[in-house]
Amino acid sequence: MIEYESLILFAIPWIVYRTIVFAFKKPFSIKTEFIKALFYFSIIFIYCLTIFPFPFYVYPYEKGNAFQLMNLIPFASIYGSLTHFYYMVPLRNIGGNILLFMPLGFAIPLRYKVNKLWKVMLIGLFISFTVEVVQLFISIRSFDVDDLILNTLGTIMGLIVYRLFILVTKSAKQKETIDLMSKT
């Protein structure tokens, strides 16, 4: 589970930084600040959940060299999760990896005006790959190619949610404009 103290440790520098920026840059936009914070905290959320080990029990056969534990076979751990006897394993592994990167897929086009699928997908893949490489050096974590697949899928799904959000807000604005024009 996420340690709330670690989130607070990342929130305080963000608040101090944005306060200093605001002091020197007078125009203040809540929308802009929200977009920047969404991107920043989606990265911090990913970092907190993937780099800091979960307090789950580590089975003795899972301890060892991270290079021995790595999975380079696509869909191997996904298949293992789906065939596991306990329903929470696929939910936590597959669903968790996808949900973890969805906020990032939503935040990238908001923050950087990047709306092309392949660009957002590459950014999500790069961030996921970076996390997986860092996990090689953490004793109870390991590199898993399936995490790359699921995290990238989560980034794509976040982009899809973003595009749906834009469609809904545009159609609501158009409907409001049409309603206003018909009343006059």
Side-chain angles (χ1 to χ4, degrees):
M1 210 53 157
I2 287 184
E3 298 291 328
Y4 293 105
E5 293 84 12
S6 62
L7 284 177
I8 291 170
L9 285 174
F10 290 111
I12 292 171
W14 172 260
I15 293 167
V16 169
Y17 167 71
R18 294 313 301 166
T19 303
I20 292 169
V21 168
F22 174 66
F24 293 104
K25 182 184 169 193
K26 293 298 177 191
F28 180 79
S29 166
I30 291 179
K31 179 182 174 185
T32 303
E33 292 303 316
F34 176 76
I35 290 169
K36 288 178 180 180
L38 179 65
F39 180 76
Y40 176 79
F41 284 106
S42 68
I43 296 290
I44 296 305
F45 187 65
I46 290 167
Y47 176 77
C48 287
L49 283 176
T50 57
I51 303 303
F52 295 119
F54 288 99
F56 299 125
Y57 177 75
V58 178
Y59 297 100
Y61 64 84
E62 290 180 345
K63 290 183 182 177
N65 185 345
F67 291 98
Q68 294 171 337
L69 299 174
M70 77 168 65
N71 171 35
L72 298 175
I73 302 168
F75 304 105
S77 65
I78 292 172
Y79 178 76
S81 291
L82 289 173
T83 58
H84 198 275
F85 66 92
Y86 185 52
Y87 74 96
M88 285 301 293
V89 170
L91 192 62
R92 188 181 77 212
N93 184 32
I94 297 169
N97 276 305
I98 291 170
L99 285 174
L100 181 64
F101 273 69
M102 282 182 71
L104 180 67
F106 190 91
I108 290 169
L110 276 173
R111 176 71 176 99
Y112 295 106
K113 307 294 185 226
V114 175
N115 201 9
K116 294 201 181 291
L117 174 66
W118 68 272
K119 287 182 179 181
V120 174
M121 186 176 79
L122 280 178
I123 293 169
L125 178 66
F126 175 75
I127 292 172
S128 179
F129 183 75
T130 302
V131 166
E132 292 299 316
V133 168
V134 169
Q135 286 181 350
L136 282 173
F137 303 101
I138 299 175
S139 62
I140 63 169
R141 309 296 281 171
S142 63
F143 184 97
D144 190 346
V145 72
D146 290 346
D147 288 351
L148 290 174
I149 294 168
L150 295 170
N151 295 343
T152 304
L153 178 62
T155 305
I156 293 167
M157 291 175 73
L159 176 64
I160 291 168
V161 170
Y162 167 79
R163 287 180 176 175
L164 290 172
F165 174 76
I166 294 301
L167 278 174
V168 168
T169 55
K170 279 186 179 178
S171 71
K173 285 180 184 177
Q174 287 174 347
K175 184 179 185 290
E176 184 178 304
T177 303
I178 292 169
D179 288 346
L180 287 173
M181 291 173 66
S182 65
K183 289 181 182 179
T184 57

